[in-house]
Amino acid sequence: MKQFAPSCDRNRDPILSALCEVITAPCEVLEIGSGTGQHAVYFSEMFPYAQWQPTDVAEHLPSIEAWRQEAALENVKPAMALDLNDAPWPVQQSDVVVCINTVHIVAWPLVQKLFAGVGQMLSPGGALFLYGPFRYANRPLETSNEEFDVWLKTRDPGSGIRDFDAIDALALAQGLKLAQDREMPANNRSLWWIKQS
């Protein structure tokens, strides 16, 4: 049941460097779209003072659980089903929400539900962290990301690389203020917002 994604190993250390500015004290972390479970195990090991809650749709839970049980880390909670279509979410409150390589995979209405859910459950002063490729109005999309976007939309017309401005507007509507937009390897970005009190 344990799945492996090479990209998780490639991007985990650059993401870690960004998360070090987000997860700075003991906190509850909700990961949305945990995928294979590799990131949940790696980041919870790097942040032993954070309680990490991995979530995903039900079909991905066995792999996440396999990684979690093998790692035997006390600060990784059992994987929990979280479908962005569902309400209410199974986690009612969190200090940090981490969502890696997800908003370009799910359909736009689910991205909207992601931000609406985060707006309801994120603690004041808490952070929403996103990682992945994004479009910007002031510069052309990189060639590799253009090709990736075509591949995504061929696979699922509802998916695709999202406009930063549209994403930021969703955040603002939920009382989230952009704290950082960081360039990452392979034409990705790390974005995080802070929930205003």
Side-chain angles (χ1 to χ4, degrees):
M1 303 304 289
K2 183 179 168 185
Q3 303 295 309
F4 176 79
S7 61
C8 288
D9 277 2
R10 287 197 303 269
N11 64 32
R12 67 183 193 176
D13 289 324
I15 294 173
L16 175 65
S17 70
L19 282 175
C20 283
E21 296 189 31
V22 180
I23 304 172
T24 58
C27 62
E28 297 283 336
V29 179
L30 171 64
E31 183 184 14
I32 296 176
S34 298
T36 63
Q38 289 164 255
H39 279 155
V41 166
Y42 180 69
F43 295 136
S44 58
E45 185 175 13
M46 295 299 103
F47 299 107
Y49 47 83
Q51 294 296 313
W52 201 277
Q53 176 62 72
T55 69
D56 211 313
V57 294
E59 66 194 73
H60 293 151
L61 300 187
S63 179
I64 300 168
E65 273 299 287
W67 280 94
R68 185 186 72 85
Q69 291 175 17
E70 180 181 84
L73 297 167
E74 293 184 358
N75 62 322
V76 189
K77 298 179 181 180
M80 184 180 292
L82 193 160
D83 188 321
L84 293 173
N85 274 311
D86 294 342
W89 286 2
V91 178
Q92 300 301 309
Q93 188 170 19
S94 188
D95 304 307
V96 178
V97 176
V98 172
C99 188
I100 296 168
N101 282 330
T102 299
V103 298
H104 57 275
I105 300 296
V106 301
W108 181 248
L110 295 184
V111 179
Q112 294 172 307
K113 290 181 179 182
L114 166 67
F115 276 85
V118 168
Q120 292 175 7
M121 57 81 67
L122 194 63
S123 304
L128 167 63
F129 177 92
L130 298 186
Y131 170 88
F134 294 91
R135 291 182 181 273
Y136 291 83
N138 62 348
R139 61 178 181 267
L141 193 63
E142 302 86 357
T143 301
S144 62
N145 279 341
E146 284 282 12
E147 294 169 353
F148 183 44
D149 189 54
V150 170
W151 179 84
L152 286 168
K153 290 175 178 173
T154 300
R155 171 181 163 274
D156 177 2
S159 65
I161 295 177
R162 306 303 179 188
D163 275 340
F164 166 80
D165 289 338
I167 291 287
D168 194 42
L170 293 179
L172 285 170
Q174 298 298 328
L176 299 165
K177 183 177 180 182
L178 185 69
Q180 186 68 260
D181 177 354
R182 177 177 296 183
E183 183 177 3
M184 303 291 282
N187 297 319
N188 288 302
R189 312 291 296 189
S190 281
L191 311 175
W192 62 94
W193 295 262
I194 302 299
K195 179 71 180 292
Q196 305 303 292
S197 56

